[in-house]
Amino acid sequence: MMKPLLGFPNALALLGTLFLVLLARVLAADAPPTFHEKWRPQFHFTPVDTWMNDPNGMVFYEGEYHLFYQNNPFGNRWGHMSWGHAISRDLAHWEHLPLALAEEDGVMIFSGSVVVDWKNTSGFGKEGRPPLVALYTGHYTKRPLQNQHLAYSNDKGRTWTKFAGNPVLDLKMADFRDPKALWHEPTSRWVMTVALPKEAKVHFYASPDLKRWDYVGEFGGAGATNGLWECPDLFPLPVEGGGSKWVLVVNINPGGPAGGSGCQYFVGEFDGKRFVADRTTHSRTSEPLWADWGRDFYAAVSWSDIPRRDGRRLLLGWMSNWEYANDVPTFPWRSAMTVPRDLVLRQTPAGHRLLQRPVRELNRLRDGGGSVRRTTVAEANGWLARRPVPLGLAELELHLDQVPGSGVLALECRHGKSGNTRIEADFKAGTLRIDRTRSGPSDFSTAFAGVHMAPLRIINGKLDLRLLLDTSSVEVFAQGGETVLTDLILPESPDLQLSLVATGAAGNVRVDSVSLWPLRPAPSVLGNSKP
Ligand code: FRU
């Protein structure tokens, strides 16, 4: 006689185990986010447990930096676009607030901006307090239409009312989006920059009250045009050493410098109607200017209404790329923002260039740390070898004097036993690269693994590099922020060990200084809706 495979008690045990596994699954799906999940960034903004893309409506008001963002409140893939909301007082720690603007009646809330209407030109203000006014794109899900809408808040952005007279600007186009508003002081009126993605151009509109908008000019046909123009921004920016110029930021997808999504900018003059790009740098045939050469920097726009006494122009971008954003294997949330960056222009022999630096507020996350000065690569390496970073959160600064004409100096970031991300300065080629082919898993998308490259300008024989490493990203700022690369990485282990690897003439390079700071996590908190 055949023996039964499972006796009664065994079958019962198996059923019991199955039940427990199922129960664990259900509980895990419902488990509150811990913010310590694998690859959860510890000092970059992430949504709690849903999908995020573009930053939206960034505005400073009464001590709070607002960050709204493209959000699917129902899942961790793109869909049901609405505005998620968070605030920060120090640009490092974030408090999550309830959804600000929800999809309604077949109209999704696409990207846009928020301004403080200080003079109450819109009339939405209450009790002598200026309203916050949001300008966003209504995306119609049942017909091919996008147009511009208003909403306002009288309680520091906690609750929003959609304007009864929406839309406020309608060209009856299927692709017309991402309005960014600014108060143009010289002409005393509002200016909106908005994208016509398929025509690779932006329009400028002017308004006395944020409600009636008149076309005043447009800009296009320059820089990178081989993709959709999205999420534009326009602002005046100081030049190091004096003066200021206007910067027009235009995100483009695809067609970015590392493939897929990218962020380009133009420098020039704006008179309230027309933007005229500097001729030396922006003829039709000139190379585009890229704000970031990495694979994961998109939809970057700046904060509005930073007080004049502060005077900074701060910007951040979505740290992903449409080529694989929906597939990055993080749960329950998906996507992060870059760190906020402080902008300024630098006059170079080739024209004005954007400099980006992590905001100084992030220095407060430095936990101990130290430096070694005037040394060799070998000695600097010995010093680094004694400084592993167990949580993988680190900032590194490297200064080199008398950079050789050839050779490669690589900064190797080893993750645990097997992972490794390399940042390589190639002095002969004049390039800076991030190689994430061996950082960690990339099987979720064939587009993910790769080496991403930027031109590197050696200034007076010197090179400086600054690196910010979080659990799943690396941001590299070279030459005071003239060349920037941002890449997602997915190391299997949080253990981080940095070292320098020199080949050829780079072996004899003089290291002016190396500094390494382990960084403290900046946990976000779940807030409530009260101001
Ligand atoms: C850019 C973008 C915007 C649009 C939004 C929709 O990433 O395509 O143009 O408003 O995302 O989520």
Side-chain angles (χ1 to χ4, degrees):
M1 213 179 79
M2 283 258 294
K3 236 173 123 193
L5 277 178
L6 284 172
F8 179 69
N10 280 349
L12 205 64
L14 184 67
L15 269 176
T17 311
L18 275 176
F19 174 76
L20 284 178
V21 168
L22 263 174
L23 187 71
R25 285 255 168 108
V26 170
L27 287 178
D30 278 347
T34 61
F35 295 105
H36 293 292
E37 301 90 351
K38 189 171 185 187
W39 296 318
R40 172 77 87 165
Q42 296 297 308
F43 62 95
H44 287 81
F45 179 78
T46 52
V48 177
D49 55 2
T50 51
W51 162 268
M52 172 173 81
N53 56 290
D54 315 354
N56 295 151
M58 289 143 72
V59 68
F60 179 87
Y61 184 57
E62 294 203 354
E64 296 172 340
Y65 294 92
H66 291 261
L67 172 61
F68 299 88
Y69 54 91
Q70 285 289 282
N71 178 230
N72 177 0
F74 304 112
N76 62 3
R77 295 181 75 82
W78 189 90
H80 299 288
M81 296 325 290
S82 301
W83 277 23
H85 188 196
I87 51 168
S88 174
R89 294 186 160 270
D90 64 0
L91 291 169
H93 299 81
W94 293 92
E95 178 179 341
H96 296 276
L97 295 182
L99 203 66
L101 287 163
E103 174 192 37
E104 199 178 359
D105 299 333
V107 184
M108 290 193 198
I109 317 291
F110 268 24
S111 288
S113 51
V114 170
V115 287
V116 185
D117 182 8
W118 290 107
K119 297 175 201 278
N120 194 22
T121 61
S122 61
F124 296 141
K126 237 165 109 183
E127 290 150 16
R129 290 180 56 178
L132 295 185
V133 180
L135 197 55
Y136 63 89
T137 297
H139 171 87
Y140 294 71
T141 54
K142 298 193 182 76
R143 55 201 158 118
L145 180 63
Q146 293 182 342
N147 48 32
Q148 315 320 324
H149 293 229
L150 285 189
Y152 59 92
S153 168
N154 299 113
D155 58 0
K156 297 175 73 179
R158 286 356 186 235
T159 60
W160 291 83
T161 308
K162 289 173 182 157
F163 176 45
N166 281 336
V168 292
L169 178 59
D170 188 5
L171 302 186
K172 313 255 183 265
M173 290 181 76
D175 290 275
F176 178 47
R177 58 180 177 265
D178 309 338
K180 180 82 180 14
L182 86 118
W183 176 256
H184 188 251
E185 198 68 59
T187 53
S188 259
R189 57 186 190 178
W190 298 101
V191 170
M192 176 206 301
T193 308
V194 55
L196 282 76
K198 294 208 163 139
E199 290 161 44
K201 66 178 174 188
V202 297
H203 274 185
F204 304 114
Y205 293 82
S207 171
D209 58 5
L210 293 161
K211 295 172 181 163
R212 285 168 293 146
W213 291 95
D214 293 320
Y215 171 88
V216 289
E218 62 184 64
F219 179 82
T225 52
N226 237 345
L228 299 173
W229 277 26
E230 297 183 316
C231 302
D233 195 359
L234 176 68
F235 47 82
L237 191 64
V239 180
E240 265 183 346
S244 84
K245 307 275 292 178
W246 282 81
V247 174
L248 175 65
V249 171
V250 177
N251 290 276
I252 180 168
N253 177 62
S261 316
C263 176
Q264 65 178 323
Y265 66 95
F266 302 90
V267 184
E269 299 305 333
F270 180 69
D271 64 1
K273 294 180 176 177
R274 273 169 304 271
F275 176 83
V276 181
D278 288 354
R279 221 159 26 92
T280 46
T281 50
H282 297 106
S283 76
R284 256 170 199 279
T285 50
S286 69
E287 286 289 307
L289 298 181
W290 297 110
D292 195 303
W293 293 80
R295 192 92 154 102
D296 299 290
F297 187 72
Y298 194 55
V301 285
S302 69
W303 261 278
S304 184
D305 293 282
I306 304 271
R308 202 160 287 170
R309 65 175 181 281
D310 177 321
R312 290 179 297 174
R313 177 61 57 171
L314 306 177
L315 163 143
L316 61 65
W318 175 47
M319 197 155 52
S320 196
N321 189 310
W322 280 118
E323 286 195 355
Y324 45 72
N326 272 291
D327 304 314
V328 178
T330 58
F331 304 97
W333 86 101
R334 190 167 282 125
S335 294
M337 297 301 182
T338 66
V339 292
R341 300 172 180 184
D342 189 351
L343 306 182
V344 70
L345 285 170
R346 172 186 281 167
Q347 171 103 58
T348 77
H352 288 91
R353 294 291 184 268
L354 192 64
L355 304 187
Q356 300 172 68
R357 292 171 184 144
V359 290
R360 58 170 180 263
E361 284 86 341
L362 293 174
N363 295 353
R364 292 192 211 135
L365 300 179
R366 291 174 178 172
D367 190 5
S371 303
V372 55
R373 285 173 205 287
R374 295 198 191 84
T375 181
T376 60
V377 169
E379 273 177 24
N381 247 342
W383 184 84
L384 283 170
R386 295 190 294 279
R387 284 164 180 79
V389 187
L391 287 181
L393 316 180
E395 179 177 350
L396 178 130
E397 212 172 296
L398 171 70
H399 289 267
L400 301 183
D401 263 354
Q402 298 161 22
V403 166
S406 66
V408 174
L409 187 69
L411 241 170
E412 193 165 75
C413 315
R414 283 198 308 283
H415 315 290
K417 291 207 168 60
S418 53
N420 128 35
T421 304
R422 279 172 84 105
I423 290 99
E424 301 175 336
D426 184 328
F427 301 122
K428 183 134 190 233
T431 57
L432 186 64
R433 307 185 280 259
I434 298 185
D435 181 346
R436 68 173 177 191
T437 54
R438 289 177 302 279
S439 301
S442 58
D443 50 350
F444 56 91
S445 163
T446 51
F448 192 78
V451 180
H452 309 129
M453 196 156 73
L456 180 65
R457 186 170 75 95
I458 300 298
I459 306 170
N460 300 328
K462 295 185 181 187
L463 172 65
D464 67 73
L465 284 181
R466 189 162 164 200
L467 241 79
L468 284 178
L469 281 146
D470 202 334
T471 51
S472 51
S473 64
V474 51
E475 285 159 285
V476 183
F477 302 84
Q479 306 299 50
E482 190 177 303
T483 301
V484 184
L485 287 138
T486 301
D487 263 16
L488 289 180
I489 50 172
L490 296 166
E492 283 292 6
S493 164
D495 293 340
L496 176 68
Q497 176 66 63
L498 292 150
S499 60
L500 291 168
V501 182
T503 44
N508 306 322
V509 85
R510 240 187 66 197
V511 177
D512 194 39
S513 70
V514 185
S515 312
L516 176 66
W517 298 271
L519 299 178
R520 266 189 291 271
S524 57
V525 294
L526 301 176
N528 57 36
S529 58
K530 302 227 169 51

